Structures are given as C-alpha cells and as structure tokens.
Amino acid sequence: MAKSSNQKTKLLHLYRILLRQTDEDHPITVAQLIQELAKYDIKAERKSIYDDLESLRQFGLDIQCRKGRSAGWFVGERDFQLPELKLLMDAVQSSRFITQKKSDALIRKLEGLASVHQARQLQRQVYVSGRIKLMNESIYYNVDKLHAAVSGQKAITFKYFDYDIHRQKVFRREGRRYTVSPYGLIWSSENYYLVAFDHAHREMRHYRVDKMTEIVVTSLDREGRDSYPDFQLASYGEKHFGMYRGREMTVTLRGRRDMAGVVWDRFGQDVILVPDGKEHFTVTLPVVVSPQFFGWLFGLDGGLTLTAPQSAVEDYRRRLDAARLGET
C-alpha cells in the first residue's frame, strides 16, 4: 500500500496530539492515537506507534503509560505545569499596563502550553471583574524596543504625551523629541516606567512607557555612567514612592515595633532597624520626598512618624495643616 504524502510528518503529529490532548487525568490509548493520525491521512500500526512513543521519550518528551481501568499514554512533566500557567495567566489578566486585546492574545498562547482539558481550567481561572486596562496598544512593542536599547546600551529618542478629557493625545514639549539613555524598566503601582539618563537635563529621570510613542533606538552610545557610576535600578525604585519626583534626601522614621514588617516590605530585608525603647525603633533611609511619600506615611495612621531632617518634617506638617483646612 502506497504511503500518503503526510506519512513523513507522522512523528510530528503524534507529538502534537500527545501534548494537546493528553495529561495525567486524560490518557489516550494506542487505538485512539491511530484514529487521530488517520484524520491527517496518516496510516499507522500498533508496533510503529510503540516505536514512535519510545523515540519521543528519548527525544525528551515525558511520556507516561498507565495501566488498569484508565489505561493509556499521556504527557507527564511539561515546560510549564498547570499551577505555573495559572500564575502567569493571572499576572497577564490583572496587569493594567497590558491592553485587553493583548491580554487575550497572550492568554490564548499560554493555553497552548497546556492540554485542551487543562486549558478549560485556565479559562475559569483568569477572569478579573472590572479590571481597568490601558488604552495604549503600543506599550507591548515599546517594551521590546526599550529592552533592546538597554541590552545594546544605546540612547533612544521618543515623544511623550498625556491624554486630555476627550482621550486625545497632547504631546509634551510641543511634540519635540526626548533624547535619553535607558538603564532599565520598573513595574510600579501597576504601571511600567523607563528609568533613563536625560541628555538635556543631565540627570536620571523616569517615564511612563504607555505615554511614550515613536521610539527610535539610535546608534548613540549610552550616557550617564560618569554622572552615576554606582547607579542601581532597584535602589532608584525604592526611593521613588509611586514613581513621583521630588527631593532625594536621607530621612529618619520612628515606628512602633509592629511596623517592622511594613518597613521591610517597602525597603527590603537589608534595612537595619535600631531599637528605641521597648516598643519602638528608628530607621534611616534614602528616599525621594514627594506628596506620595507623605501620603504613604499618613496612610499608616501614626505607625511611622517622620523625625528628620527638620525641613522634611516642616514640609509634612504644612501639608497636613493644608489638608485640614481644605487647601490645595
């Protein structure tokens, strides 16, 4: 009997059938494998199937065989197990910086890493009610360009904008391009930020990635290392509350002992807390003093108080007094 033209792809089809249709709870018999291959006009005998399964196992596919009532063959270990895929899909669906269209596309691709039976569980797993998504579809591609610039240590140019009340773009600097040297990306307060050395102002600044457009990776070498020889991206993110700009200074906070976890959650486990009596501690930290920083302190309802420097203490008091009086 003459072989069909699809016979050469038999092993590939078998590989895909096992990955998409089987898992530990859904094995498939050799007879069913033969039927599935027949859908692609591929003829197979039982002995050849056993040989092919062994070839796939030697190739690295974790093919398991179960005997008994639910006998059959199935794929065991995968590159991503079901709990891992659930975590990834939850992250995609809940991420504000990924538009709904891109979220749906990524979820479909992640579903392809599981069996069709597991994919149904993933579809139930990822729904997040009323999630606000960004309008800017280009962020998906902006991130890729920015990573290329960071790894290639090249400067970029771009335009920066806000939205008006009609959802129309309003460009800053009257549409003139920014020139910066990227150092990394930070995900903070559900937004992506680019941290970069601004060539015009000769300092490190950050920019919302979803508000950047017309990004061009130039042939110019990255600048800023002379001005910031010990620059650390993680340290930059820790100092900027909500990525607000402000004055960078070293502050001292006094807190109740039950606030230790709050400090470590925000600034990391390496922060040293100095005991101050039986019930309190003090901690000295470099931060960017901004309205967001003061808001963070206020939200702790006295659990942490700002004690130094005096200029920051006075600024905080002025803002609290203004809030009480209803001033702006």
Side-chain angles (χ1 to χ4, degrees):
M1 183 180 295
K3 294 184 178 180
S4 71
S5 58
N6 293 339
Q7 206 70 25
K8 292 181 180 179
T9 61
K10 175 187 172 188
L11 203 59
L12 296 175
H13 281 289
L14 189 62
Y15 181 87
R16 185 166 60 182
I17 291 167
L18 288 164
L19 280 174
R20 294 296 291 137
Q21 298 189 26
T22 75
D23 54 51
E24 187 174 357
D25 298 319
H26 301 87
I28 191 169
T29 65
V30 171
Q32 289 172 324
L33 286 172
I34 293 173
Q35 290 176 0
E36 289 297 320
L37 289 171
K39 295 177 181 178
Y40 302 98
D41 195 24
I42 297 173
K43 300 183 183 299
E45 298 177 352
R46 295 184 67 88
K47 183 179 182 305
S48 69
I49 294 293
Y50 289 125
D51 292 340
D52 291 337
L53 291 171
E54 181 58 30
S55 295
L56 290 174
R57 184 184 288 113
Q58 292 179 4
F59 181 70
L61 189 62
D62 183 32
I63 299 176
Q64 304 286 334
C65 178
R66 176 184 298 149
K67 304 194 183 291
R69 292 180 59 186
S70 299
W73 300 81
F74 63 92
V75 175
E77 290 290 325
R78 297 169 180 260
D79 290 339
F80 291 94
Q81 296 303 306
L82 187 60
E84 296 171 327
L85 287 174
K86 287 181 178 180
L87 287 174
L88 291 172
M89 296 182 81
D90 280 347
V92 169
Q93 185 67 17
S94 61
S95 293
R96 183 176 178 273
F97 74 91
I98 305 178
T99 64
Q100 190 61 56
K101 180 180 178 181
K102 283 300 176 187
S103 291
D104 293 342
L106 285 172
I107 286 170
R108 286 194 296 271
K109 290 179 180 180
L110 287 171
E111 287 175 356
L113 298 175
S115 71
V116 292
H117 315 287
Q118 293 172 333
R120 296 191 188 101
Q121 297 184 47
L122 294 172
Q123 291 164 3
R124 291 193 295 271
Q125 175 79 10
V126 300
Y127 178 71
V128 180
S129 177
R131 190 65 186 172
I132 298 172
K133 290 286 191 176
L134 293 180
M135 296 183 291
N136 187 359
E137 182 76 16
S138 65
I139 186 174
Y140 194 75
Y141 307 100
N142 286 354
V143 170
D144 188 52
K145 285 186 178 180
L146 295 175
H147 276 301
V150 171
S151 62
Q153 299 189 27
K154 297 298 181 182
I156 65 167
T157 66
F158 62 94
K159 292 183 179 181
Y160 205 45
F161 66 88
D162 295 301
Y163 286 108
D164 64 17
I165 61 174
H166 304 293
R167 298 191 196 179
Q168 299 300 311
K169 293 179 181 178
V170 178
F171 287 97
R172 298 189 186 183
R173 296 185 183 177
E174 298 180 338
R176 294 191 300 276
R177 300 185 71 84
Y178 290 61
T179 302
V180 305
S181 291
Y183 275 76
L185 292 161
I186 293 177
W187 188 359
S188 177
S189 302
E190 299 191 277
N191 288 305
Y192 241 147
Y193 293 87
L194 171 71
V195 178
F197 181 77
D198 188 291
H199 289 204
H201 295 89
R202 312 306 296 173
E203 65 179 8
M204 285 292 179
R205 295 192 171 189
H206 54 267
Y207 309 88
R208 279 263 301 266
V209 176
D210 60 295
K211 294 184 177 182
M212 301 169 65
T213 188
E214 299 181 34
I215 298 173
V216 175
V217 180
T218 73
S219 59
L220 300 174
D221 291 334
R222 186 170 69 181
E223 297 183 13
R225 190 55 78 180
D226 292 341
S227 303
Y228 296 85
D230 300 318
F231 179 76
Q232 296 292 328
L233 189 66
S235 176
Y236 184 94
E238 289 172 359
K239 295 174 185 176
H240 287 75
F241 279 73
M243 301 308 289
Y244 275 67
R245 290 179 181 170
R247 293 173 297 154
E248 183 173 340
M249 60 179 66
T250 299
V251 302
T252 300
L253 305 175
R254 185 174 187 265
R256 300 192 309 260
R257 284 184 174 264
D258 62 348
M259 289 286 105
V262 173
V263 173
W264 284 325
D265 285 346
R266 183 62 184 82
F267 298 99
Q269 294 286 333
D270 294 334
V271 170
I272 298 175
L273 307 183
V274 179
D276 184 11
K278 292 184 178 180
E279 302 298 329
H280 294 83
F281 64 85
T282 61
V283 59
T284 301
L285 301 159
V287 302
V288 172
V289 177
S290 66
Q292 194 77 356
F293 168 65
F294 291 141
W296 176 75
L297 277 179
F298 182 77
L300 297 176
D301 197 24
L304 287 172
T305 57
L306 179 64
T307 61
Q310 190 60 32
S311 61
V313 174
E314 292 174 357
D315 189 5
Y316 188 32
R317 285 174 179 165
R318 283 195 299 270
R319 291 175 183 274
L320 290 175
D321 290 341
R324 292 192 189 98
L325 297 172
E327 298 176 2
T328 58

